[in-house]
Amino acid sequence: MKVSGFSFIRNALQYDYPIVEAIQSILPLCDEFVVAVGRSEDQTLSLIQSIQSDKIRIIETVWDDSLREGGRVLAVETDKALAAIAPDADWAFYIQGDEVVHEKYLPAIRDAMKTYKEDAQVEGLLLNYQHFYGSYRYVGDSRRWYRREVRIIRNNGNVVAYRDAQGFRTRDNRKLNVKPVDATVYHYGWVKPPDRQADKLSNFGRYWHNDEHMAQTRKELAGFDYRGVDSLALFEGTHPAVMQARIERMNWQFDFDIRQKKLSLKNRFLKAVENLTGWRIGEYRNYTLV
């Protein structure tokens, strides 16, 4: 079995992305790892080049900043990395620059890839998600956070990134047939110093919105405060080993009363149903379970 990892990144230092940790977290499962490094205003290229592994292969890219509808440029960059992986790879393992897989889940992921390697009906593997918010102590527990997403795809040449590259579809826009894996991706995109987070949100949003919308957004983000979140829960597990040094360097404080719930009556009801049954009514699923 051959596995190729792939990702894309730009301005990782400026926006405090744990891209090195992301890559390192799944590198043990990969025979190679392709990183599409966009032309940056910081030393992102040098950062990726500093990773001590002969599995890493870098392709340098230039983002088309004119692609401003629905985060399309992110899918384009993802597809550049995907197109560069080894053609004889069985699986392609995608990880974004703010996602990290705990080492305890690697055996389950490896077993799933082996189990379904010869089953052509299975076009992808579905992983669970934990979304950290404000600090490494809290996770989002409201309906705004997606619970699962496809991160491992069959390398058959018929799969491309969908919309803003949160997930994938076939070239003819069909949802992928997938199997779930009992493994979790830790999403750290909302764990940054508040000023870095505000900077990221006020600049990165231009890949979804026009200049007028972003001008208003920047005004609103001037007083960015993590405490405006609707609902959080305490994280009671452990973080991936590759994240420990970054966690120890954390230089800001965020405390939150998890009893505080800023949910509408409708969302309180829907959350109660989900807590009781595990069923998320109206959940967006960009995949088909088989």
Side-chain angles (χ1 to χ4, degrees):
M1 181 175 69
K2 185 171 184 176
V3 180
S4 295
F6 68 107
S7 188
F8 72 95
I9 193 66
R10 181 188 187 190
N11 293 328
L13 295 168
Q14 181 177 348
Y15 298 121
D16 197 36
Y17 279 93
I19 180 63
V20 172
E21 293 89 343
I23 294 171
Q24 290 174 332
S25 74
I26 68 168
L27 207 54
L29 295 177
C30 300
D31 296 282
E32 65 162 359
F33 198 107
V34 175
V35 191
V37 180
R39 185 180 297 168
S40 302
E41 287 76 53
D42 59 16
Q43 297 302 309
T44 295
L45 180 59
S46 296
L47 177 69
I48 303 302
Q49 290 172 334
S50 72
I51 300 175
Q52 298 298 307
S53 173
D54 57 7
K55 296 180 181 180
I56 305 293
R57 184 153 50 87
I58 296 171
I59 59 172
E60 297 183 47
T61 68
V62 178
W63 288 32
D64 183 353
D65 289 337
S66 69
L67 298 176
R68 302 186 62 170
E69 182 177 352
R72 178 59 188 162
V73 68
L74 308 182
V76 170
E77 293 302 310
T78 297
D79 286 341
K80 288 178 184 178
L82 176 57
I85 70 172
D88 61 340
D90 298 294
W91 296 106
F93 197 150
Y94 178 57
I95 192 123
Q96 294 191 344
D98 54 11
E99 300 176 342
V100 179
V101 177
H102 197 294
E103 60 274 9
K104 68 182 178 182
Y105 296 118
L106 298 185
I109 295 173
R110 181 183 290 108
D111 288 347
M113 289 192 290
K114 289 180 177 178
T115 298
Y116 300 113
K117 176 178 176 290
E118 304 300 333
D119 187 348
Q121 180 189 17
V122 179
E123 298 168 305
L125 299 177
L126 187 71
L127 303 184
N128 302 318
Y129 268 76
Q130 285 260 45
H131 301 273
F132 291 85
Y133 186 93
S135 81
Y136 300 102
R137 297 176 56 214
Y138 302 105
V139 290
D141 68 343
S142 68
R143 289 168 54 86
R144 63 178 287 193
W145 308 101
Y146 53 92
R147 299 193 295 175
R148 303 176 184 90
E149 194 49 86
V150 178
R151 279 297 173 265
I152 301 169
I153 58 176
R154 186 174 297 280
N155 185 33
N156 58 13
N158 190 40
V159 180
V160 292
Y162 180 64
R163 292 186 177 174
D164 62 356
Q166 180 176 309
F168 296 87
R169 287 196 179 184
T170 62
R171 291 186 181 276
D172 60 358
N173 203 36
R174 175 177 56 78
K175 294 181 180 180
L176 300 187
N177 295 320
V178 305
K179 288 286 189 180
V181 181
D182 187 16
T184 301
V185 176
Y186 290 2
H187 176 219
Y188 293 108
W190 287 87
V191 182
K192 304 178 190 294
D195 57 338
R196 291 271 188 98
Q197 187 69 286
D199 192 27
K200 174 201 167 186
L201 293 173
S202 65
N203 285 279
F204 214 60
R206 70 184 187 273
Y207 298 120
W208 284 266
H209 306 293
N210 60 32
D211 290 338
E212 182 179 354
H213 183 281
M214 289 312 302
Q216 180 60 35
T217 298
R218 290 188 180 95
K219 291 180 181 178
E220 295 171 354
L221 287 170
F224 177 78
D225 190 337
Y226 280 119
R227 289 173 294 184
V229 69
D230 54 2
S231 179
L232 297 178
L234 280 175
F235 174 63
E236 298 179 350
T238 62
H239 290 276
V242 295
M243 285 294 295
Q244 293 307 312
R246 177 178 286 269
I247 292 171
E248 291 170 3
R249 293 196 303 268
M250 179 177 172
N251 60 0
W252 75 97
Q253 184 68 35
F254 172 63
D255 293 308
F256 187 83
D257 183 356
I258 61 173
R259 296 170 297 180
Q260 175 180 306
K261 305 296 180 185
K262 301 176 182 177
L263 301 173
S264 66
L265 183 61
K266 173 185 174 182
N267 282 332
R268 285 179 182 272
F269 170 74
L270 293 174
K271 186 70 167 62
V273 171
E274 181 179 327
N275 290 344
L276 183 64
T277 67
W279 175 33
R280 178 171 289 187
I281 300 173
E283 181 174 21
Y284 171 74
R285 293 187 178 187
N286 182 36
Y287 52 82
T288 301
L289 293 173
V290 294

